[in-house]
Amino acid sequence: MQTGAGSLLIFLMLGLAGSAAPAHFGFRVLAYRQQLDKAYAFAPDTQDGGWGYSWWLMRWKHRVHADPSLNFFGGIAAGSGWLALVGSVGVLLLIALQ
């Protein structure tokens, strides 16, 4: 079996997505819980803590609350969410190019 540069890149993108996605989901739960505990208002369509909330965090909208804990949880969720998105898109793109 021969492996080329494309296979290595797929492996690296899978590793990126595979490590960043659990961090995103874990810190998203912590940010959501912090927002509930502090009774901060939710943006429209983010009350359930699902995909809309993830997108809201990834656009750094949590900073308006100026809560250090929410900024910490939301910041890590946002950063790891973008890394997971880049890794997932990279895997799909590389598979399509193979």
Side-chain angles (χ1 to χ4, degrees), residues 4 17-18 24-25 32 45-46 56 58 63 70 74 86 93:
H24 170 73
F25 291 119
Y32 181 75
D45 300 325
T46 63
W56 181 79
M58 288 171 60
R63 292 185 294 177
L70 182 60
V86 166
L93 182 65

Side-chain angles (χ1 to χ4, degrees), residues 20 23 28 47 50 64 66 84 89 97:
R28 180 184 76 179
Q47 302 88 324
V64 296
V89 169
L97 291 175

Side-chain angles (χ1 to χ4, degrees), residues 6-7 15 18-20 23 32 47 53-54 56 58 63 68 71 79 81-82 84 88 91-92:
S7 297
S19 60
Y32 181 75
Q47 302 88 324
Y53 191 71
S54 284
W56 181 79
M58 288 171 60
R63 292 185 294 177
N71 283 342
W82 282 112
S88 299
V91 166
L92 295 174

Side-chain angles (χ1 to χ4, degrees), residues 74-88:
I76 292 178
S80 59
W82 282 112
L83 289 174
L85 184 62
V86 166
S88 299

Side-chain angles (χ1 to χ4, degrees), residues 7-89:
S7 297
L8 177 62
L9 286 174
I10 288 174
F11 177 75
L12 291 174
M13 288 294 150
L14 279 172
L16 178 64
S19 60
H24 170 73
F25 291 119
F27 279 97
R28 180 184 76 179
V29 169
L30 292 173
Y32 181 75
R33 188 68 227 181
Q34 178 72 11
Q35 192 164 353
L36 279 177
D37 290 347
K38 296 288 184 162
Y40 295 137
F42 284 94
D45 300 325
T46 63
Q47 302 88 324
D48 62 352
W51 292 108
Y53 191 71
S54 284
W55 184 242
W56 181 79
L57 285 172
M58 288 171 60
R59 291 179 296 142
W60 297 90
K61 300 291 186 176
H62 55 84
R63 292 185 294 177
V64 296
H65 297 300
D67 181 312
S69 296
L70 182 60
N71 283 342
F72 177 74
F73 298 143
I76 292 178
S80 59
W82 282 112
L83 289 174
L85 184 62
V86 166
S88 299
V89 169

